[in-house]
Amino acid sequence: MSLLPSAPRPARLGEPAPVPGTELVGEFEDSGYREPPHLVCRSDGQIVRLPPLLYQALRALTQAGPGPAVAERVAADLSRETGRRFSAEHVAFLLDKKLAPLGLTTYADGSPPPPVTRKDPFLAFRFRLAVVPEHVTWWLSGLFAWLFRPVVVLLTLGAFSAAETWLWLTQDTGAALWAVLSSPGDVLLVVALAVASCAFHELGHGAACRYGGVRPGAMGCGLYLVWPAFYTDITNSYRLGRAGRIRADLGGVYFNGLFVLGLVALYVGVGSPLLLVAILSVHLEMVQQLLPTLRFDGYYIVADLVGIPDLFKYIGPILKRVVLRRPADEQLRALKRWPQVVVAAWVLLLVPVLALQLGMVLLNLPQVVTADWQKITALMGGAMSSGSPVLSMAAACVQTVLLVLPLVGVGLVLGGLVRSLIRLARRRRHSA
């Protein structure tokens, strides 16, 4: 599809310019597209993907600098680079209709672009708060980036394999779990270690970015669907090739493995069952993170493996192509063959899994609410009658929060789904 009108209207030309802070990154390496897009870092730190022509136009505008007849100079550069004839009006069209709405340039007359509304991707991590600023993340990541040296990684994987074999073949995790649940103090310590493991997980993503030579963003926490979660902004990993991006994706789970090794060393020395339960909780976190169905690390591993940043937007095109047997649309035709096959397999796995999970949640929600209320009542009653009420009440409050947060998340997800359906119904009614 052409980016230019067949007969552009004359435009009121001024001195257009890139928005300050806009950075040209270059071609998206190892992409899954037949025509690899080019990356631009916007002034707010977001990475924008552009087709080659728009990237060339932005680069020509950047090189042209301020002064009169900017559009004419950009048109001359584009004509020379592409072998096609461009006029100042063509350039004005690209600025006004393509680049300025993305927040990358001013309009052709020099007026500023409109505020850019961030996209709200499907199942994105919306409810979050930045806690650690970017410069602190950069410093912390530098302390641990050396852990990604190949020799260190191989030694860590060997030690982790040996520790796993010893743990699961010789230790009784069931007895340890029962002992910990009967002790409020141990429950609090296990929760604290689980939170520390999650924070260290996020530091692993940042350290992997720094080892690859790109800058990680802020770290924070929030609520993802039904889970309390931490996050690290690793948008800049798109500047790396496939291997660097996957290293950044796996950095969190790798640091979970390092955390497990530390807990195993403590357990060998101390023998406390709470450490064994903490190790089990870290394993559960690692398994959850590697699931490819939601926006956990496993999802980004698949996305970076095939070189397609947002897999969810292909659900509709894939279902139309595979289930309804319709011809591939423009989105699918833009993909290379093997990424298209991988994305199709992912979609055909994802849709029934999400449908099953949503159905189970809706079916069991009344029973879950009732059971949680009974559990919370029992926890509070037990805490009040305990011999150490302060410690018992603290443990009860932590467990209550862990019980309530998933219900809050379910409410937010269902509310968002209802709002999306209402918006879709309104759009169809207006278009009818």
Side-chain angles (χ1 to χ4, degrees):
M1 181 181 294
S2 174
L3 294 171
L4 298 173
S6 56
R9 298 177 180 177
R12 185 167 63 89
L13 302 178
E15 291 190 18
V19 171
T22 301
E23 178 188 358
L24 302 176
V25 176
E27 184 178 304
F28 181 27
E29 296 184 37
D30 302 312
S31 80
Y33 301 96
R34 298 183 187 276
E35 186 177 37
H38 288 67
L39 305 179
V40 178
C41 184
R42 209 164 54 196
S43 57
D44 61 358
Q46 291 299 297
I47 298 291
V48 179
R49 297 186 302 278
L50 296 178
L53 178 59
L54 290 181
Y55 187 84
Q56 290 172 327
L58 181 58
R59 181 175 61 191
L61 181 63
T62 302
Q63 295 172 346
V70 174
E72 287 80 359
R73 284 181 281 148
V74 172
D77 286 344
L78 281 178
S79 300
R80 184 172 57 255
E81 289 186 15
T82 64
R84 298 162 58 186
R85 183 178 178 277
F86 286 87
S87 65
E89 286 73 21
H90 285 126
V91 172
F93 175 84
L94 293 178
L95 295 175
D96 290 345
K97 302 299 182 181
K98 305 294 182 181
L99 293 173
L102 293 175
L104 300 175
T105 69
T106 65
Y107 286 105
D109 61 4
S111 59
V116 178
T117 303
R118 283 198 168 193
K119 293 182 179 179
D120 190 14
F122 181 63
L123 293 180
F125 191 177
R126 299 185 183 91
F127 309 104
R128 60 182 185 176
L129 174 68
V131 176
V132 180
E134 182 178 322
H135 69 276
V136 177
T137 304
W138 172 256
W139 178 77
L140 290 173
S141 300
L143 298 178
F144 298 97
W146 62 274
L147 291 168
F148 288 93
R149 293 175 183 173
V151 173
V152 178
V153 172
L154 290 175
L155 291 174
T156 300
L157 293 178
F160 182 78
S161 300
E164 291 289 288
T165 303
W166 175 75
L167 276 174
W168 299 113
L169 292 182
T170 64
Q171 304 304 303
D172 188 354
T173 55
L177 183 61
W178 179 259
V180 168
L181 290 178
S182 62
S183 171
D186 287 351
V187 170
L188 290 175
L189 288 174
V190 169
V191 171
L193 288 172
V195 171
S197 173
C198 292
F200 197 58
H201 172 104
E202 297 305 327
L203 190 56
H205 291 305
C209 281
R210 177 150 184 178
Y211 180 82
V214 297
R215 194 176 189 91
M219 298 172 60
C221 58
L223 189 66
Y224 179 60
L225 299 183
V226 298
W227 298 278
F230 292 88
Y231 75 92
T232 300
D233 185 352
I234 59 171
T235 305
N236 278 329
S237 65
Y238 284 117
R239 298 169 181 263
L240 304 172
R242 180 181 290 118
R245 296 195 299 268
I246 293 177
R247 180 176 55 236
D249 298 333
L250 285 170
V253 175
Y254 173 55
F255 268 42
N256 282 142
L258 291 169
F259 199 86
V260 166
L261 288 178
L263 291 177
V264 168
L266 283 175
Y267 178 68
V268 170
V270 178
S272 173
L274 77 87
L275 293 172
L276 197 56
V277 176
I279 291 170
L280 180 61
S281 73
V282 177
H283 280 81
L284 293 176
E285 179 191 353
M286 295 169 72
V287 171
Q288 181 195 59
Q289 286 294 337
L290 291 174
L291 293 175
T293 50
L294 298 176
R295 290 183 188 267
F296 297 128
D297 295 347
Y299 165 84
Y300 291 105
I301 291 169
V302 175
D304 287 328
L305 180 65
V306 298
I308 301 172
D310 189 357
L311 300 177
F312 281 106
K313 73 177 184 179
Y314 292 95
I315 293 178
I318 290 292
L319 292 179
K320 291 178 183 177
R321 178 75 178 94
V322 176
V323 179
L324 301 180
R325 300 295 182 182
R326 294 181 181 175
D329 64 8
E330 185 178 348
Q331 275 188 308
L332 291 183
R333 290 195 300 270
L335 302 181
K336 296 176 183 176
R337 179 61 182 169
W338 78 268
Q340 194 174 139
V341 171
V342 174
V343 174
W346 177 81
V347 168
L348 295 178
L349 169 68
L350 172 77
V351 171
V353 168
L354 288 184
L356 179 62
Q357 290 177 339
L358 182 59
M360 291 178 63
V361 167
L362 293 177
L363 182 64
N364 296 316
L365 188 58
Q367 294 91 331
V368 170
V369 172
T370 302
D372 283 358
W373 176 253
Q374 293 174 349
K375 180 66 175 176
I376 291 170
T377 303
L379 285 171
M380 294 301 174
M384 295 298 293
S385 60
S386 173
S388 53
V390 175
L391 190 60
S392 298
M393 183 59 71
C397 289
V398 170
Q399 293 179 74
T400 298
V401 170
L402 294 178
L403 289 170
V404 170
L405 276 179
L407 296 178
V408 174
V410 168
L412 293 173
V413 171
L414 293 179
L417 181 61
V418 169
R419 287 194 299 270
S420 298
L421 292 175
I422 292 174
R423 286 197 296 267
L424 179 61
R426 287 176 177 173
R427 284 198 297 267
R428 290 192 173 184
R429 185 180 63 184
H430 292 321
S431 61

